[in-house]
Amino acid sequence: MGKSPIEDERKFLLGIRELLRREREVEKREAYEDRVRAKVLDVTEDLVTLECSFPMFREGDIIGHITQEGDVKPIGSVLAEGTVITVGTNREIRLEEGQPVDLCKGEVLVGYDLQISLIDRILNDELDDLERDAVLCLFGGGNTGSGKRISLSDKLDSTGKIELDESQIEAVERILGLGDGELLIVVGPPGTGKTRVIAKAALELRKRGERVLITSHTNRAVDNALEALPVEISLRVGRPEKVLKRIRPYLLSYKARTALGSRLEQIESQISKLRKEIKGLHGLAEEWKRVSREKYNEVKGTIKGKIKRIRDLYKERNKMLVDESKKLVEKAGIMGSTLIKSNMPPLHVERFDTVLIDECSQASITLALLGMIKARKWVLVGDHKQLLPVFKSIRDKRLVERLSAFCLMREFYGKGEVWLRNHYRSNSRIINFSCRYVYNGMISPVKECDGIKLEIRNYPREMEFLNPDIPAVFLDVRGEDFVEGRSRANRAEVEAVVRIARTLKRLGIRSERIGIITPYKAQRNRIAEELKDEKLEVNTVDSFQGREKDVIIFSVTSTGNMDFVSDENRLNVAFTRARKKLIVVGNAESIEKISGGLLYKYLMYVRNLNGFFKWQMR
């Protein structure tokens, strides 16, 4: 693998492999709890057709089957959904026609399998040249080039509506200047336009004849970038229900079905008609069974004939979908998928000139490597001050940082990184807290951020903290937390948060523009149950990265052990989601006991801005 700053690469990889194996065991136990019984209808070289007892899987789902030994073996990705599903696979499947199987959703498990398999291939020196270069780069043996920039003739973003700022232009021009085997790190703090940079870079690379992959640990990050690109040159691979509705015209499945049109509709109509006929014949067969064995056998023969016809139609439909999908993939200039999906059919054999990996701080080393091995040049876009990879068996944050691809690569290549420096999203007094205490002045809000304010009047006198002229506030609620299952909750904060949310709605703020964040699932559940508003999002921090709301209400919840809630990366995500109003609800006395942490600094910050208020209990 070449010289690397990591002293013992083999030992390092074996350690990651063991970690992934442990994480997989946790996910496997959870997968057992949600399964469906199915029967194998047909197995061909790269397609499996199964009939499920009920329609559990959707197009784009990655599924696995539970073996007799209790393991979960991946099958592939669902190409056609319903009670009868068609699954595309890139591996030898040991299933036989008529065999009963238990199926489960397996995307996370497949992700672990792909990473473990990649580690094994590295250890056994089974990589091709493209993959070997990516691995060498990941371990610090690559380079960031000479900082070459190719000038943009057009300084507008990919939509042609917004002019890029200097730091965004530098990032795009540095991406265009990359040579084979070179990497660029782009640090994109909240609201600095990293999605705009990714879309513009992808478009410019495509104009130069390159094939580009936009990928991420999250679906939303991929969707946000593709949304700013022309649909005719872009293709999204993924599950329809997992992508934004406005992105669906980009979907491979949507484009394939649209291209096939009436031919596909006719086949699926025939299948539907035959299935109804078979259902009726089964009832007739049961009636003849008691009267005439000859008639019974005759009806059963008819059923077998119709089943054979259905299977033939499924094969014809499957071939049409697969052939059309292959055509679309081959001609697509810009493709978007998650890191795991990029290594599953139909993308598993595809290669690209440049890969852009967004939200890279959340991707583990081997997960990011799944994207890097797909291309000759690599762009990692992320923010080391936001969410890190999630490992259920690790509590040591320093170790998690070491396992983040973005954090590790900054150690090796940080001198050549590009920062996006101008913030555009939030009120200046909201974002200035993170600018000062998280990013040490590396970013700053543009002047227009001063005027981003909540548009309400006549708020209740006892809720002066809703004053639009005070955008960042702390609300001192003297409640106490308590243990609920493996989580924590706080009744006083639930009451306060629910009253605030209901008041905001009465004042004209739409539910979908309000977000409620808490570190604890028990607190999330209690708030959601009280509000009973599906449009108002209540969730943990992990679900909010890359998102924004006009109003964010953050419930600290904890009043005893503050270690979990004080995690600086999670707090930074929570505090930077709000555009117009940030309301932090917590027990000030408890926070003051942990002086020096980010939560304490926020408390001091808003005190200086006259943003500290005491909650008036009913």
Side-chain angles (χ1 to χ4, degrees), residues 190-191 194 218 220-221 224 359 362 386-387 425 511-520 524 527 531 534-555 569-579 581-582:
K194 65 183 179 64
T218 67
R220 181 174 289 273
N224 288 342
E359 302 285 12
Q362 279 189 275
Q386 294 195 62
L387 294 182
R425 183 171 65 204
S511 295
E512 55 267 31
R513 299 311 306 155
I514 304 170
I516 298 173
I517 305 176
T518 174
Y520 299 97
R524 174 199 66 187
I527 293 170
L531 281 173
E534 292 182 0
K535 292 183 179 180
L536 197 160
E537 189 171 359
V538 184
N539 223 321
T540 55
V541 178
D542 301 68
S543 300
F544 270 92
Q545 179 148 320
R547 311 284 301 285
E548 64 177 61
K549 300 284 185 179
D550 285 348
V551 182
I552 287 291
I553 307 169
F554 179 74
S555 172
N569 290 64
R570 292 179 180 278
L571 283 174
N572 184 42
V573 172
F575 290 176
T576 55
R577 300 308 97 196
R579 292 188 66 246
K581 189 82 175 182
L582 172 62

Coordinates of all heavy atoms in Angstrom, one line a residue, residues 190-191 194 218 220-221 224 359 362 386-387 425 511-520 524 527 531 534-555 569-579 581-582:
P190 N -22.0 25.3 8.5 CA -23.4 25.5 8.2 C -23.7 26.8 7.4 O -23.1 27.9 7.7 CB -24.0 25.6 9.5 CG -23.1 24.8 10.4 CD -21.8 25.1 9.9
G191 N -24.5 26.7 6.4 CA -25.0 27.9 5.7 C -24.0 28.6 4.8 O -24.2 29.7 4.3
K194 N -22.0 24.9 0.7 CA -21.3 23.7 0.2 C -22.1 23.0 -0.9 O -21.5 22.5 -1.8 CB -20.9 22.8 1.3 CG -22.1 22.1 2.1 CD -21.5 21.3 3.2 CE -22.7 20.6 4.0 NZ -23.4 19.7 3.2
T218 N -25.9 10.3 3.6 CA -27.3 10.6 3.7 C -27.9 10.9 2.4 O -27.3 11.4 1.5 CB -27.5 11.9 4.6 OG1 -27.0 13.0 3.9 CG2 -26.8 11.7 6.0
R220 N -30.5 12.9 1.8 CA -30.8 14.3 1.7 C -29.7 15.1 1.1 O -29.9 16.0 0.2 CB -31.2 14.9 3.0 CG -31.6 16.4 3.0 CD -32.2 16.9 4.3 NE -33.5 16.3 4.5 CZ -34.6 16.8 4.1 NH1 -34.6 17.9 3.4 NH2 -35.8 16.3 4.4
A221 N -28.4 14.9 1.5 CA -27.3 15.6 1.0 C -27.2 15.4 -0.6 O -26.9 16.3 -1.3 CB -26.0 15.2 1.7
N224 N -30.1 17.3 -2.3 CA -29.9 18.8 -2.3 C -29.0 19.2 -3.5 O -29.2 20.2 -4.1 CB -29.3 19.2 -1.0 CG -30.4 19.2 0.1 OD1 -31.6 19.1 -0.1 ND2 -29.9 19.2 1.3
E359 N -21.1 15.7 3.4 CA -21.3 15.3 4.8 C -20.3 14.2 5.2 O -20.6 13.3 5.9 CB -22.8 14.7 5.0 CG -23.9 15.7 4.6 CD -24.1 16.8 5.6 OE1 -23.2 17.0 6.5 OE2 -25.1 17.6 5.5
Q362 N -19.5 12.6 8.7 CA -20.3 11.5 9.2 C -19.9 10.1 8.7 O -20.4 9.1 9.2 CB -21.8 11.7 8.8 CG -22.5 12.7 9.7 CD -24.0 12.7 9.4 OE1 -24.5 13.4 8.5 NE2 -24.8 12.0 10.2
Q386 N -19.3 19.2 13.0 CA -20.7 18.7 13.1 C -20.7 17.2 13.4 O -19.7 16.7 13.9 CB -21.4 19.1 11.8 CG -21.6 20.5 11.6 CD -22.6 20.9 10.5 OE1 -23.8 20.6 10.6 NE2 -22.1 21.6 9.5
L387 N -21.8 16.5 13.0 CA -21.9 15.1 13.4 C -20.8 14.2 12.9 O -20.3 14.3 11.8 CB -23.3 14.5 13.0 CG -24.5 15.2 13.6 CD1 -25.8 14.5 13.2 CD2 -24.4 15.1 15.2
R425 N -27.3 31.9 5.9 CA -28.6 31.3 6.3 C -29.3 31.9 7.5 O -30.5 32.2 7.5 CB -28.4 29.8 6.6 CG -29.7 29.1 6.9 CD -29.5 27.6 6.9 NE -28.7 27.1 8.0 CZ -28.0 26.0 7.9 NH1 -28.0 25.2 6.9 NH2 -27.3 25.6 9.0
S511 N -46.3 25.0 11.0 CA -45.7 23.9 11.7 C -44.4 23.4 11.0 O -43.5 23.1 11.7 CB -46.7 22.7 11.7 OG -47.8 23.1 12.5
E512 N -44.4 23.4 9.7 CA -43.3 22.9 9.0 C -42.1 23.8 9.1 O -40.9 23.4 8.7 CB -43.6 22.6 7.5 CG -44.2 23.7 6.8 CD -45.7 23.7 6.8 OE1 -46.3 23.3 7.8 OE2 -46.3 24.2 5.8
R513 N -42.2 25.0 9.6 CA -41.1 25.9 9.7 C -40.6 26.0 11.2 O -39.7 26.8 11.5 CB -41.5 27.4 9.3 CG -42.0 27.5 7.9 CD -41.0 26.9 6.9 NE -39.6 27.4 7.1 CZ -38.6 26.7 6.7 NH1 -38.7 25.5 6.2 NH2 -37.4 27.2 6.9
I514 N -41.1 25.1 12.0 CA -40.7 24.9 13.4 C -40.0 23.6 13.6 O -40.5 22.6 13.1 CB -41.9 25.1 14.4 CG1 -42.6 26.4 14.2 CG2 -41.4 25.0 15.8 CD1 -43.9 26.5 14.9
G515 N -38.9 23.6 14.2 CA -38.2 22.3 14.6 C -37.9 22.2 16.0 O -37.5 23.2 16.7
I516 N -38.2 21.0 16.6 CA -37.9 20.8 18.0 C -36.8 19.7 18.1 O -37.0 18.6 17.6 CB -39.1 20.5 18.8 CG1 -40.2 21.6 18.8 CG2 -38.8 20.1 20.3 CD1 -41.5 21.2 19.4
I517 N -35.7 20.1 18.8 CA -34.6 19.1 18.9 C -34.3 18.8 20.4 O -34.4 19.7 21.2 CB -33.3 19.7 18.3 CG1 -33.5 20.1 16.8 CG2 -32.1 18.7 18.3 CD1 -32.4 20.8 16.1
T518 N -34.0 17.6 20.7 CA -33.6 17.2 22.0 C -32.6 16.0 21.9 O -32.7 15.3 20.9 CB -34.8 16.8 22.9 OG1 -34.3 16.3 24.1 CG2 -35.6 15.7 22.2
P519 N -31.7 15.9 22.8 CA -30.7 14.8 22.7 C -31.3 13.5 23.0 O -30.7 12.4 22.7 CB -29.6 15.2 23.7 CG -29.9 16.6 24.1 CD -31.3 16.9 23.9
Y520 N -32.5 13.4 23.6 CA -33.0 12.2 24.2 C -34.3 11.7 23.5 O -35.2 12.5 23.3 CB -33.2 12.3 25.7 CG -32.0 12.7 26.5 CD1 -31.7 14.0 26.8 CD2 -31.1 11.7 26.9 CE1 -30.6 14.3 27.5 CE2 -29.9 12.0 27.6 CZ -29.7 13.3 27.9 OH -28.5 13.7 28.5
R524 N -38.1 13.4 23.2 CA -38.7 13.6 21.8 C -40.0 13.0 21.8 O -41.0 13.6 21.3 CB -37.8 12.9 20.8 CG -38.3 12.9 19.4 CD -37.7 11.8 18.5 NE -37.9 10.5 19.0 CZ -37.4 9.4 18.5 NH1 -36.5 9.5 17.5 NH2 -37.7 8.2 18.9
I527 N -42.7 15.0 23.8 CA -43.1 16.2 23.2 C -44.0 16.0 22.0 O -45.0 16.6 21.8 CB -41.8 17.0 22.8 CG1 -41.1 17.5 24.0 CG2 -42.2 18.2 21.9 CD1 -39.7 18.1 23.7
L531 N -47.9 17.3 21.3 CA -48.2 18.2 20.2 C -49.2 17.6 19.2 O -50.0 18.3 18.7 CB -46.9 18.6 19.5 CG -46.1 19.7 20.2 CD1 -44.8 19.9 19.4 CD2 -46.8 21.0 20.2
E534 N -48.1 16.2 13.0 CA -47.2 15.5 12.1 C -46.3 16.5 11.2 O -45.2 16.1 10.8 CB -48.0 14.6 11.2 CG -48.6 13.4 11.9 CD -49.3 12.5 11.0 OE1 -49.3 12.7 9.8 OE2 -49.9 11.5 11.5
K535 N -46.8 17.7 11.0 CA -46.0 18.6 10.2 C -44.9 19.3 11.0 O -44.0 19.9 10.4 CB -47.0 19.7 9.6 CG -47.9 19.1 8.5 CD -48.8 20.2 7.9 CE -49.7 19.6 6.9 NZ -50.6 20.7 6.3
L536 N -45.0 19.3 12.3 CA -44.0 19.9 13.1 C -43.0 18.8 13.5 O -43.3 17.9 14.2 CB -44.7 20.6 14.4 CG -43.8 21.6 15.1 CD1 -44.7 22.5 16.0 CD2 -42.7 20.9 16.0
E537 N -41.8 19.0 13.1 CA -40.8 18.0 13.3 C -40.2 18.0 14.7 O -39.6 19.1 15.1 CB -39.7 18.1 12.2 CG -38.7 16.9 12.2 CD -37.8 17.0 11.0 OE1 -37.9 17.9 10.2 OE2 -36.9 16.1 10.9
V538 N -40.3 16.9 15.4 CA -39.6 16.7 16.7 C -38.7 15.6 16.6 O -39.1 14.5 16.3 CB -40.7 16.4 17.8 CG1 -40.0 16.4 19.2 CG2 -41.8 17.5 17.7
N539 N -37.4 15.8 16.8 CA -36.4 14.7 16.6 C -35.1 15.0 17.4 O -35.0 16.0 18.0 CB -36.2 14.5 15.1 CG -36.2 13.1 14.8 OD1 -35.7 12.2 15.5 ND2 -36.7 12.7 13.6
T540 N -34.3 14.0 17.3 CA -32.9 14.1 17.9 C -32.0 14.9 16.9 O -32.4 15.0 15.8 CB -32.4 12.7 18.2 OG1 -32.4 11.9 17.0 CG2 -33.2 12.0 19.3
V541 N -30.9 15.2 17.4 CA -29.9 16.0 16.6 C -29.6 15.3 15.3 O -29.5 16.0 14.2 CB -28.7 16.3 17.4 CG1 -27.7 17.1 16.6 CG2 -29.0 17.1 18.7
D542 N -29.4 14.0 15.3 CA -28.9 13.3 14.2 C -29.8 13.5 12.9 O -29.3 13.4 11.8 CB -28.8 11.8 14.5 CG -27.9 11.5 15.6 OD1 -28.3 11.9 16.8 OD2 -26.8 10.9 15.4
S543 N -31.1 13.7 13.1 CA -32.0 13.8 12.0 C -32.0 15.2 11.4 O -32.7 15.5 10.4 CB -33.4 13.4 12.5 OG -33.5 12.1 12.9
F544 N -31.3 16.2 12.1 CA -31.4 17.6 11.7 C -30.2 18.1 10.9 O -30.2 19.2 10.4 CB -31.7 18.5 12.9 CG -33.1 18.7 13.2 CD1 -33.8 17.8 14.1 CD2 -33.9 19.7 12.6 CE1 -35.2 18.0 14.3 CE2 -35.2 19.9 12.8 CZ -35.9 19.0 13.7
Q545 N -29.1 17.3 10.8 CA -27.9 17.8 10.1 C -28.3 18.0 8.7 O -29.0 17.2 8.0 CB -26.7 16.9 10.2 CG -25.5 17.4 9.4 CD -24.2 17.0 10.0 OE1 -24.0 17.0 11.2 NE2 -23.3 16.6 9.2
G546 N -27.9 19.2 8.1 CA -28.2 19.5 6.7 C -29.6 20.1 6.6 O -30.0 20.4 5.4
R547 N -30.3 20.4 7.7 CA -31.6 20.9 7.6 C -31.6 22.3 8.1 O -30.7 22.8 8.7 CB -32.6 20.1 8.5 CG -32.4 18.6 8.3 CD -33.2 18.1 7.0 NE -34.6 18.5 7.1 CZ -35.5 17.8 7.8 NH1 -35.1 16.8 8.6 NH2 -36.7 18.2 7.8
E548 N -32.8 23.0 7.9 CA -32.9 24.3 8.5 C -34.4 24.6 8.8 O -35.3 24.0 8.1 CB -32.4 25.4 7.5 CG -33.2 25.5 6.2 CD -32.7 26.7 5.4 OE1 -31.5 26.6 5.0 OE2 -33.5 27.5 5.0
K549 N -34.7 25.4 9.8 CA -36.1 25.8 10.2 C -36.0 27.3 10.5 O -35.0 27.8 10.9 CB -36.6 25.0 11.3 CG -36.7 23.5 11.1 CD -37.8 23.1 10.3 CE -37.9 21.5 10.1 NZ -39.1 21.1 9.3
D550 N -37.2 27.9 10.4 CA -37.2 29.3 10.8 C -37.0 29.4 12.3 O -36.3 30.3 12.8 CB -38.6 30.0 10.5 CG -38.7 30.3 9.0 OD1 -37.6 30.2 8.3 OD2 -39.8 30.6 8.5
V551 N -37.6 28.5 13.1 CA -37.5 28.5 14.5 C -37.0 27.1 15.0 O -37.5 26.1 14.5 CB -38.8 28.7 15.2 CG1 -38.7 28.8 16.7 CG2 -39.4 30.0 14.7
I552 N -36.0 27.1 15.8 CA -35.5 25.8 16.5 C -35.7 26.0 18.0 O -35.3 27.0 18.6 CB -34.1 25.5 16.2 CG1 -33.9 25.0 14.7 CG2 -33.5 24.5 17.1 CD1 -34.5 23.7 14.4
I553 N -36.4 25.0 18.6 CA -36.5 25.0 20.1 C -35.7 23.8 20.5 O -35.9 22.6 20.1 CB -37.9 24.8 20.5 CG1 -38.8 25.9 19.9 CG2 -38.0 24.8 22.0 CD1 -40.3 25.6 20.1
F554 N -34.6 24.0 21.3 CA -33.8 22.9 21.7 C -34.0 22.7 23.2 O -33.8 23.6 24.1 CB -32.3 23.3 21.5 CG -31.3 22.3 22.0 CD1 -31.1 21.1 21.3 CD2 -30.6 22.4 23.1 CE1 -30.3 20.1 21.7 CE2 -29.7 21.5 23.6 CZ -29.5 20.3 22.9
S555 N -34.4 21.5 23.5 CA -34.7 21.1 24.9 C -33.5 20.3 25.5 O -33.2 19.2 25.1 CB -35.9 20.2 25.0 OG -36.1 19.6 26.3
N569 N -20.1 18.8 19.1 CA -20.5 18.6 17.7 C -22.0 18.6 17.6 O -22.6 19.3 16.7 CB -19.9 17.3 17.1 CG -18.4 17.4 16.9 OD1 -17.7 17.6 17.9 ND2 -18.0 17.3 15.7
R570 N -22.7 17.9 18.5 CA -24.1 17.8 18.4 C -24.8 19.2 18.8 O -25.8 19.6 18.1 CB -24.6 16.8 19.4 CG -24.3 15.4 18.9 CD -24.8 14.3 19.9 NE -24.4 13.0 19.4 CZ -25.0 12.3 18.5 NH1 -26.1 12.8 18.0 NH2 -24.6 11.1 18.1
L571 N -24.2 19.9 19.8 CA -24.8 21.2 20.1 C -24.6 22.2 18.9 O -25.5 22.9 18.6 CB -24.0 21.7 21.3 CG -24.5 21.2 22.7 CD1 -23.6 21.7 23.8 CD2 -25.9 21.5 23.0
N572 N -23.5 22.1 18.2 CA -23.2 23.0 17.1 C -24.3 22.7 16.0 O -24.8 23.7 15.4 CB -21.8 22.8 16.6 CG -21.5 23.7 15.4 OD1 -21.8 24.9 15.5 ND2 -20.9 23.2 14.4
V573 N -24.6 21.5 15.7 CA -25.6 21.1 14.8 C -27.0 21.7 15.2 O -27.6 22.4 14.4 CB -25.7 19.6 14.5 CG1 -27.0 19.3 13.7 CG2 -24.5 19.0 13.9
A574 N -27.3 21.5 16.5 CA -28.6 22.0 17.0 C -28.7 23.5 16.9 O -29.7 24.1 16.4 CB -28.8 21.5 18.4
F575 N -27.6 24.2 17.3 CA -27.7 25.7 17.3 C -27.6 26.3 16.0 O -27.9 27.5 15.8 CB -26.5 26.2 18.2 CG -26.6 25.9 19.6 CD1 -25.6 26.2 20.5 CD2 -27.7 25.3 20.2 CE1 -25.6 25.9 21.9 CE2 -27.8 25.0 21.5 CZ -26.8 25.3 22.4
T576 N -27.2 25.6 14.9 CA -27.1 26.2 13.6 C -28.2 25.8 12.6 O -28.1 26.1 11.4 CB -25.7 25.8 13.0 OG1 -25.5 24.4 12.9 CG2 -24.6 26.5 13.8
R577 N -29.2 25.2 13.1 CA -30.4 24.9 12.3 C -31.4 26.0 12.1 O -32.2 26.0 11.2 CB -31.2 23.7 12.8 CG -30.4 22.3 13.0 CD -29.7 22.0 11.7 NE -28.3 22.4 11.7 CZ -27.5 22.4 10.7 NH1 -28.0 22.1 9.5 NH2 -26.2 22.8 10.8
A578 N -31.3 27.0 13.1 CA -32.3 28.0 13.1 C -32.0 29.2 12.2 O -30.9 29.7 12.2 CB -32.5 28.5 14.5
R579 N -32.9 29.7 11.4 CA -32.7 30.8 10.5 C -33.1 32.1 11.3 O -32.3 33.1 11.2 CB -33.6 30.7 9.3 CG -33.2 29.6 8.3 CD -34.0 29.8 7.0 NE -33.6 31.0 6.3 CZ -34.4 32.0 6.1 NH1 -35.7 31.9 6.5 NH2 -34.0 33.1 5.4
K581 N -35.0 32.2 14.7 CA -35.1 32.2 16.1 C -34.6 30.9 16.7 O -34.9 29.8 16.2 CB -36.6 32.4 16.5 CG -36.9 32.6 18.0 CD -36.7 34.0 18.3 CE -37.1 34.3 19.8 NZ -36.9 35.7 20.1
L582 N -33.7 31.1 17.7 CA -33.1 29.9 18.4 C -33.5 30.0 19.9 O -33.1 31.0 20.5 CB -31.6 29.8 18.3 CG -30.9 28.8 19.1 CD1 -31.4 27.4 18.8 CD2 -29.4 28.9 19.0

